[in-house]
Amino acid sequence: MTAEMTGADILIQALNDLGVEVVFGYPGGAVLPIYDALFKQNRIRHILVRHEAGAVHAAEGYARSTGKPGVVLVTSGPGATNAVTGIADALLDSIPLVVLTGQVGTPLIGSDAFQECDTVGITRHCTKHNYLVKDPAQLGDVIHEAFHIATSGRPGPVVVDLPKDVQVASALYRKPSVQALPHKGYRPQVKADPALIEEAVAMIAAAERPILYTGGGVINSGPLASQVLRELARVTGAPVTSTLMGLGAFPASSGQWLGMLGMHGTYEANMAMNKADLIVCLGARFDDRVTGRLDAFAPHSKKIHVDIDRSSINKIVRADIGIVGDVGRAMEDMVKIWKAGQHQARNLAPWFEQIDGWRARKSLKFPASTKEIMPQLAIRKLWEATHALKPIITTEVGQHQMWAAQHFDFEGPNKWLTSGGLGTMGYGLPAAIGAQLGNPNALVIDIAGEASIQMNIQELGTATQYRLPVKVFILNNEYMGMVRQWQDLTYAGRYSQSYSDALPDFVKLAEAYGWKGVLIEKPEELEAGIAAMLEHDGPVIVDCRVAKLANCFPMIPSGAAHTDMILEADEVVGEMDDEAKALV
Amino acid sequence: MHIKQEATERHTLSVTVDNESGILARIAGLFSARGYNIDSLTVADVTEDEKISRITIVTTGTPQVIEQVVAQLDRMVPVHKVTDLTALAPHVERELALVKVVGTGDHRIEALRLAEVYRARVVDATISSFIFEVTGGTEKIDKFLELMREVGLIEVARTGVAAIGRGKEAL
Ligand SMILES: Cc1cc2nc3c(=O)[nH]c(=O)nc-3n(C[C@H](O)[C@H](O)[C@H](O)COP(=O)(O)OP(=O)(O)OC[C@H]3O[C@@H](n4cnc5c(N)ncnc54)[C@H](O)[C@@H]3O)c2cc1C
Ligand SMILES: Cc1ncc(C[n+]2csc(CCOP(=O)(O)OP(=O)(O)O)c2C)c(N)n1
Ligand SMILES: [Mg+2]
């Protein structure tokens, strides 16, 4: 007979049983019993952030770069509400997180007690699932189930709200089996219907102009899925494009790679989507950044959609074949059936000829300048100096994020961490911290904008405290460039509140936190500045002053068709009608 | 600029869920968060051990929205099964209404006569009022209420729709 333990000890024991190594957190009154239990053990490492938003993004970075769930511990009230943005971010980007929040004691719930908020109510629609644990005897099961739910099926954040009295009270704990978990109705479908796979393979084999449109689901599925994707591409010979979230699943150096698709995707990727006769969507969700105007989206094609979440299928675009299941396993089955049926890749030469025609437009080219640093060039130089080291790149949100997606070529999965769905400024620095913790020997670089970086700038201290050698490479254009770009396009260049005024001296700021600061002001300083960043074995901020008014192209304006891409900078400044203004 | 409207259908869904605290907020919240309509929602536990509740939801939307509603409900952790009764097979839908009618003279007599036609039962009466209990499909009840408005209806309480598939199979 095992002895009773306190709720706090049950929690720690359950985390241990689940193999948790790192918790990102911030203490407060409602979680003091848990912090005391943490103090008395040394298996779980607690990383003290500077703001709860930082804790959640760090956990996201840890999760996305390692494939393990990220774990967060915050106090009640403001601790929980500060975590909400990161939780919503993880939901939209399908990142597995377990967020433990303190709560006032059960007798006080609902009484407007000190630091009380309805955490379960607030996070109900930005979590995959959430719990309020009222009985320490159920705590163990709930924690195990929370991890199971966060990491299985379509991954996502799970919040467990822990009243203080439950942390203190005693109960028995035993490690439950997955079958014994409370919610019997939760059984995500992993294995796809073989009949549908057969049908899909036949369709691919018959297509003249197929394209594989891959997404974050391939990354979610695990590194094996990226390998299988390469095999599927090899046997079918089809060209491959990816969403922002799927970058790295397919190597950018492959001749079948078309680059990213969508709003800031390449001309060849978007044109190929438009002219394809078959789109094979693998773990992507037809986001509006990708489809553009829906009634003009890929009008000539049949669609196969593989997704582990049934609700993703037919949500935006109707699929001719909808396949529910894990994309890695589904692709494995496809390759097997392809080989068993001795299908030969069709002669896709005419299709690739057409694609080469689009490639010849060189949609990612950018104007050269000897006076100013073109932001695209800065990314390119960063890639040249670091790609051999297989760095992990995080980003903030804005133009710099899109330039990074366009000009930094990825060869493998889990190396590209960006906030795609929610588009959360302030994601990159804490995500880099989390990634560095999960990958101590990796080179981790946050490609940042000067506005975004200020949203979680306090996390500089976290990196200093834990001696994490993360690099922050700021493309400083003194503008909220992405906002300014939309103001160029939509509001005739009326730059309402998009100038980054009163910027700090980033070099001095770095130094104030014990970081190294590097300033790059001229194109000829780029290489040396990047080298100085790489030479330093601690954390570095690079303040790279780039062309202030550069805009990010190609671009499909909101609500436009793939064929209506803007390729050149001089086509843009103008005013749009209300229909366009109503779109995001 | 005008916001576009599309043609919608009415569907009755049956959803079995774990009977746990917050479940109704979760379900109702899904509808508001995703902009789906709820025309009616009823819930009660239906198993002997009270562990499973059955929720009947009447919703309207385009066929695409209805498909999404089903898929979105189905992926919720405490949801066991979602059945679109409207799409599935013939089924029976009933709701109950309590209808208070006030009046004297001809109105009162007419109310009673109509109640008889609609098989509404009198469950309370005073010299100048009746409470009728009427059960049936939503349309029948709507029609009954429409008539009662002419003869002194002052208050209505409706249960919302409960529905079940015809035949010997269970969900
Ligand atoms: C400023 C800005 C600009 C942007 N511009 C672009 C752009 O030009 N192009 C672009 O692509 N994006 C762009 N985005 C990102 C965009 O908003 C979306 O986040 C992104 O397109 C979604 O990627 P995804 O379709 O791969 O889906 P994700 O959000 O990664 O979702 C993954 C999908 O795969 C499924 N899935 C998860 N796990 C599995 C599994 N194991 N097996 C099968 N399926 C699984 C999920 O159910 C889900 O449907 C931009 C974002 C910002 C902030
Ligand atoms: C938290 C948050 N607030 C507002 C926005 C809207 N937004 C998107 S990009 C952007 C500007 C980002 O500026 P900066 O970080 O300098 O990047 P740049 O576009 O200049 O590269 C803003 C304000 C957002 N994405 N996130
Ligand atoms: Mg900027």
Side-chain angles (χ1 to χ4, degrees), chain A residues 498-520:
Chain A
S498 52
Y499 182 65
S500 287
D501 211 330
L503 283 173
D505 177 332
F506 285 108
V507 170
K508 279 192 187 151
L509 185 72
E511 287 162 4
Y513 273 101
W515 288 44
K516 182 185 171 72
V518 173
L519 178 66
I520 302 178

Side-chain angles (χ1 to χ4, degrees), chain A residues 373 377-378 381-382 384-386 473 516-536 540-544:
Chain A
I373 300 176
L377 179 72
K381 290 282 178 200
L382 192 62
E384 281 168 16
T386 62
F473 194 90
K516 182 185 171 72
V518 173
L519 178 66
I520 302 178
E521 290 181 293
K522 297 196 203 79
E524 59 271 24
E525 295 167 10
L526 258 177
E527 278 169 27
I530 292 170
M533 172 186 95
L534 294 174
E535 269 156 31
H536 185 68
V540 182
I541 289 185
V542 178
D543 181 359
C544 182

Side-chain angles (χ1 to χ4, degrees), chain A residues 124-125 128-130 145 149 154 183-186 309-318 578-579 582, chain B residues 1-2 4 18 20-22 25-26 29-30 33-34 64 67-68 70-72 74-75 77-80:
Chain A
R124 187 169 288 132
H125 300 295
K128 182 171 172 188
H129 193 60
N130 64 11
E145 189 176 79
I149 289 172
R154 179 180 188 164
H183 287 100
K184 305 282 181 263
Y186 176 73
D309 180 350
R310 176 182 158 205
S311 78
S312 285
I313 293 170
N314 293 340
K315 179 166 67 177
I316 315 280
V317 169
R318 281 215 84 75
D578 286 356
E579 305 272 350
Chain B
M1 193 192 91
H2 298 283
K4 296 189 188 92
D18 288 312
E20 62 187 26
S21 95
R26 234 178 256 289
L30 171 76
R34 295 196 178 261
Q64 199 187 1
E67 182 183 347
Q68 266 297 300
V70 171
Q72 292 290 349
D74 204 33
R75 75 205 272 259
V77 172
V79 169
H80 288 246

Side-chain angles (χ1 to χ4, degrees), chain A residues 60 64 88-95 243-246 260 285 287-289 395-397 401-402 416-425 427:
Chain A
E60 289 186 275
R64 192 69 167 181
D89 191 90
L91 182 73
L92 279 188
D93 285 348
S94 301
I95 309 290
T243 66
L244 183 74
M245 298 309 290
M260 181 173 82
R285 56 184 174 84
D287 184 82
D288 51 67
R289 301 296 88 163
T395 73
E396 308 289 336
V397 172
Q401 176 189 28
M402 292 300 115
W416 166 246
L417 322 182
T418 197
S419 170
L422 201 65
T424 309
M425 291 169 72
Y427 166 89

Side-chain angles (χ1 to χ4, degrees), chain A residues 23 60 199 208 228 257 287 360 368 492:
Chain A
V23 171
E60 289 186 275
E199 229 181 289
E208 286 174 13
V228 188
W257 175 243
D287 184 82

